[in-house]
Every structure is written in structure tokens, then in C-alpha cells.
């Protein structure tokens, strides 16, 4: 009898102890603490064939990152480390490869930069949020201007637009981001566009950067962007930019980007008359399956004053890209047709042409 009573007491105690611990264990499992350090990365590569079969650089590619013909090319390998606390965020975003080198061209020795490992720094900044509605950031970060970004996995097309290629890539300075409901505001001061360090002999000017954003929902977002001031040669440069992101359903959406750049070159103690280039693009997005998507980019780029296109002119480019996704891997076949107002493109026999067609396949992986 004593043995039976003792067993019953022990069993009851164990049962009570288990019941008492269960709610705490369940609560802990339901709300795990977010890791203070996150590590993400990506890699991409491509093969491009130009049907005009050009024999000299830039092989009929006047946009960033895909400037080789009939060659398998490595794009960029990236590693991004982000450490967060309640109020502070530090990001070190590194890239290795030709894509990263082109993105940080201003650190190349030919532009007066230090070269080397500096060109592997895509972004490096520290943010401080004293309150939920305001954040201060210091360092270098990818530009807020435009629809496309440097990372291949974050774009719907693999080849880049003329607007991306000729617009700003990055900014180095100090900025403040403020949010109020559906509205966002950013204002900051930075070095001249793309320069982390002012080269010897360059003008140590400062630029104003700004953005207004409106997010009605996940299906409609609008961004008004600005960057302007004087560059390292003391020329005046101002760029105004609009980006729209819309989703009409789970399978169809439209993106849009328009940008205008106005510049005036310094001539002694005065400035030349202003020159303007501008562009506009529409992105038609179709995602019939979670693993398959199509993107058609239609872009018009105009530079009649010859700021970016030697001799001036305009280009209309159509790019159709398919995306096949498996886990973090995306396979991207792409067909592109560029039509110029002049004979900008070359052929294998040395003749000039107004049009150029190319086919590209890209492999992109991100984690």
C-alpha cells in the first residue's frame, strides 16, 4: 500500500511539473528572438550572343554589365552581412567580379580612386533609429534613383536599361528617413554621385539627395526621387526621377520609370547652356506560376544634346525575359532588340547599323 501511494504522489508531481512547464515552452517556441546577424548572398553569370556579330568592344552593348559577345561571363558573387539591435543597424555588402567592379567604377585608379578591395564594397553603412518614425544613416549605399538595382537576383530583366547605366549608382554621405503612415520622406547630403572618395584635383562638392514615397498598399507604390548639385569637375547636375510599382492581381503587374537629367558644364567662371537627357520605361510583369514569370521592358532613351551618346540621338529598346525558378536558383533566357536613331551599332563586316538584336541566358542564385 505504501509503495502504491508513493508511486501515485511521484506520478502526480511529474504530471504537474510537465503541465506547469508546457505554457512557457509553447510561448518560447511561438516567439523566437530574431537573430542579430543575418548573412545573405548571391551569384550570377551569363552568355550573350549578338546577331550582328560585332568584332570590337563594346560589342554593341551600351548598357551595364553585359558587354561581351559569344562568351560565358561571370557576373558577381556577393555576401551581405547585417547586424541589428533595437535601434542600430550595420550593413556590410560586398561584391566580387566584373559587375561589382563596373558598379564601383569611381574607385578605379583611372578615375583617381584607390582600386583594389575598395571596389568590392557595394554598400557599407550604419543606421540609428531613435524612434520608430525616423532613421539616420551614414556611409555608402546604392542609389534610391531608378527602377533597377545592381543585384541580378533583384531585377526582372538581366540586361540593364539605359537609364540605370547613365544614372547614379551609389551615394556616400548622411541621410535621414522619416515615415508617417503611408508616406515616406528621405533627405540627405552626399559626395558627388558615385564617389566614395574625392580624387586628387577634384572639387570637394556636396550633393542634395531626396525622396518622397507613397505606399497605398503592397499593390501600389510611388517614388519621387532627386539628386543634384555639382560634380567633381564643378559642373552642375540635377536629376529628377519617378518610379511606380503596381499589381493588379497575383499574376499581373506594371512597373514604370521616368527620369530627366539636366547638366551645365563649367566654362571658366561661367556655365554653358544646360543640356538634357531623359528616358522612360514600362515593365510588364506576368507570373502565371510561382516558378515561372515573364517580363517585357520597353524603354525609350533620348540624348539629343550628346551628353551620353556621342553625337546625340535616341534609342528604343525592347527586352523580353523569362524566369524559371527552383528554390534560390533562377534561369533567365532573354531576347533584346535595340533600335537607334543613328547607326550606333556595328556588324561583323565593319558596316554600321541602326538596329541590334541579341540573345542572352543567365543563371542567378541567391540565399
Amino acid at each position: 500500500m505504501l509503495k502504491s501511494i508513493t508511486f501515485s504522489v511521484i506520478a502526480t508531481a511529474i504530471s504537474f511539473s510537465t503541465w506547469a512547464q508546457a505554457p512557457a515552452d509553447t510561448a518560447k517556441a511561438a516567439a523566437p528572438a530574431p537573430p542579430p546577424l543575418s548573412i545573405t548572398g548571391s551569384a550570377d553569370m551569363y552568355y550573350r550572343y549578338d546577331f550582328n556579330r560585332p568584332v570590337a568592344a563594346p560589342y554593341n552593348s551600351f548598357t551595364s554589365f553585359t558587354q561581351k559577345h559569344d562568351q560565358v561571363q561571370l557576373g558577381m558573387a556577393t555576401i551581405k552581412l547585417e547586424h541589428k539591435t533595437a535601434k542600430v543597424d550595420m550593413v556590410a555588402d560586398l561584391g566580387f567580379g566584373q559587375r561589382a567592379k563596373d558598379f564601383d567604377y569611381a574607385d578605379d585608379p583611372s578615375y583617381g580612386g584607390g582600386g583594389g578591395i575598395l571596389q568590392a564594397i557595394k554598400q557599407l553603412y550604419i543606421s540609428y533609429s531613435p524612434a520608430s518614425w525616423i532613421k539616420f544613416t551614414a556611409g555608402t549605399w546604392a542609389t534610391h534613383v531608378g527602377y533597377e538595382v545592381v543585384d541580378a537576383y533583384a531585377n526582372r530583366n538581366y540586361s540593364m536599361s539605359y537609364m540605370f547605366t547613365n544614372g547614379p549608382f551609389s551615394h556616400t554621405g548622411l541621410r535621414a528617413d522619416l515615415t508617417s503612415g503611408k508616406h515616406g520622406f528621405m533627405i540627405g547630403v552626399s559626395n558627388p554621385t558615385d564617389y566614395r572618395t574625392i580624387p586628387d584635383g577634384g572639387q570637394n562638392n556636396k550633393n542634395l539627395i531626396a525622396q518622397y514615397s507613397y505606399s497605398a498598399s503592397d499593390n501600389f507604390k510611388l517614388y519621387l526621387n532627386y539628386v543634384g548639385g555639382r560634380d567633381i569637375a564643378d559642373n552642375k547636375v540635377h536629376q529628377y526621377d519617378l518610379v511606380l510599382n503596381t499589381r493588379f492581381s497575383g499574376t499581373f503587374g506594371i512597373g514604370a520609370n521616368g527620369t530627366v537629367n539636366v547638366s551645365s558644364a563649367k566654362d571658366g567662371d561661367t556655365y554653358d547652356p544646360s543640356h538634357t537627357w531623359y528616358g522612360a520605361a514600362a515593365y510588364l510583369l506576368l507570373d502565371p506560376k510561382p516558378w515561372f514569370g515573364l517580363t517585357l521592358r520597353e524603354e525609350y532613351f533620348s540624348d539629343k544634346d550628346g551628353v551620353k551618346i556621342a553625337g546625340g540621338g535616341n534609342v528604343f529598346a525592347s527586352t523580353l525575359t523569362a524566369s524559371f525558378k527552383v528554390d534560390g536558383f533562377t534561369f533567365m533566357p532573354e531576347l533584346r532588340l535595340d533600335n537607334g536613331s543613328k547607326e550606333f551599332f556595328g556588324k561583323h563586316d565593319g558596316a554600321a547599323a541602326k538596329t541590334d538584336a541579341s540573345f542572352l541566358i543567365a543563371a542567378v542564385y541567391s540565399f
Side-chain angles (χ1 to χ4, degrees):
M1 175 65 73
L2 179 61
K3 185 182 294 185
S4 177
I5 293 172
T6 303
F7 177 80
S8 298
V9 171
I10 293 172
T12 302
I14 293 173
S15 176
F16 179 81
S17 174
T18 303
W19 175 85
Q21 291 176 14
D25 292 343
T26 302
K28 184 178 180 181
L37 176 65
S38 67
I39 302 175
T40 57
S42 68
D44 67 273
M45 59 195 70
Y46 75 93
Y47 169 84
R48 173 176 172 266
Y49 186 84
D50 189 300
F51 293 103
N52 280 349
R53 292 179 292 153
V55 294
Y59 301 106
N60 288 345
S61 179
F62 301 105
T63 58
S64 299
F65 311 143
T66 53
Q67 296 178 333
K68 297 297 182 180
H69 161 63
D70 197 21
Q71 299 179 38
V72 175
Q73 287 289 306
L74 301 179
M76 177 172 66
T78 73
I79 187 75
K80 182 179 180 180
L81 296 89
E82 182 172 11
H83 191 276
K84 282 187 175 183
T85 66
K87 293 184 178 294
V88 180
D89 184 14
M90 187 283 292
V91 170
D93 187 4
L94 307 178
F96 305 90
Q98 190 62 47
R99 195 179 184 105
K101 186 177 179 181
D102 292 347
F103 177 74
D104 189 19
Y105 70 90
D107 273 327
D108 190 280
S110 62
Y111 283 85
I117 196 64
L118 286 175
Q119 289 190 271
I121 299 175
K122 291 163 55 205
Q123 301 185 101
L124 181 60
Y125 59 83
I126 299 173
S127 297
Y128 171 63
S129 300
S132 60
W133 56 272
I134 187 168
K135 178 172 70 175
F136 298 100
T137 301
T140 183
W141 56 85
T143 186
H144 57 293
V145 174
Y147 184 90
E148 300 173 15
V149 297
V150 61
D151 295 291
Y153 71 88
N155 291 325
R156 299 277 307 207
N157 302 104
Y158 186 81
S159 67
M160 308 304 290
S161 67
Y162 286 89
M163 285 185 289
F164 174 90
T165 300
N166 293 290
F169 284 175
S170 67
H171 307 285
T172 300
L174 176 67
R175 59 186 275 185
D177 291 85
L178 303 91
T179 57
S180 177
K182 298 178 180 180
H183 306 274
F185 305 89
M186 183 276 287
I187 189 165
V189 177
S190 71
N191 291 343
T193 292
D194 298 340
Y195 281 90
R196 283 92 184 269
T197 301
I198 306 301
D200 293 340
Q203 297 296 313
N204 187 18
N205 292 316
K206 296 295 181 284
N207 284 185
L208 174 68
I209 58 175
Q211 180 184 74
Y212 165 73
S213 61
Y214 175 71
S215 180
S217 67
D218 290 340
N219 294 326
F220 182 85
K221 296 180 180 180
L222 175 148
Y223 304 88
L224 293 173
N225 307 306
Y226 170 78
V227 56
R230 296 180 181 178
D231 62 17
I232 60 169
D234 221 20
N235 303 316
K236 296 179 181 178
V237 183
H238 302 274
Q239 187 162 344
Y240 310 88
D241 185 80
L242 168 67
V243 175
L244 288 173
N245 278 311
T246 62
R247 272 281 175 183
F248 299 103
S249 68
T251 59
F252 181 66
I254 296 178
N257 184 203
T259 199
V260 178
N261 183 289
V262 181
S263 62
S264 182
K266 189 171 185 180
D267 184 8
D269 295 329
T270 62
Y271 286 88
D272 292 338
S274 61
H275 295 81
T276 302
W277 63 261
Y278 64 90
Y283 301 78
L284 305 181
L285 318 175
L286 181 65
D287 298 293
K289 300 290 183 180
W291 53 267
F292 174 67
L294 288 170
T295 303
L296 176 64
R297 178 181 62 206
E298 298 287 352
E299 181 189 19
Y300 178 76
F301 184 81
S302 177
D303 183 24
K304 62 181 180 61
D305 294 331
V307 179
K308 297 294 184 178
I309 299 176
N314 59 70
V315 178
F316 185 84
S318 300
T319 307
L320 179 62
T321 309
S323 298
F324 299 88
K325 302 175 182 179
V326 179
D327 297 329
F329 173 73
T330 305
F331 175 67
M332 304 175 73
E334 179 176 287
L335 184 63
R336 177 167 178 154
L337 179 65
D338 292 55
N339 293 278
S341 60
K342 297 180 180 178
E343 294 180 334
F344 300 127
F345 307 103
K347 295 184 176 181
H348 65 282
D349 59 1
K354 286 186 176 183
T355 62
D356 181 71
S358 61
F359 175 73
L360 176 151
I361 53 174
V364 181
Y365 186 81
S366 65
F367 64 91

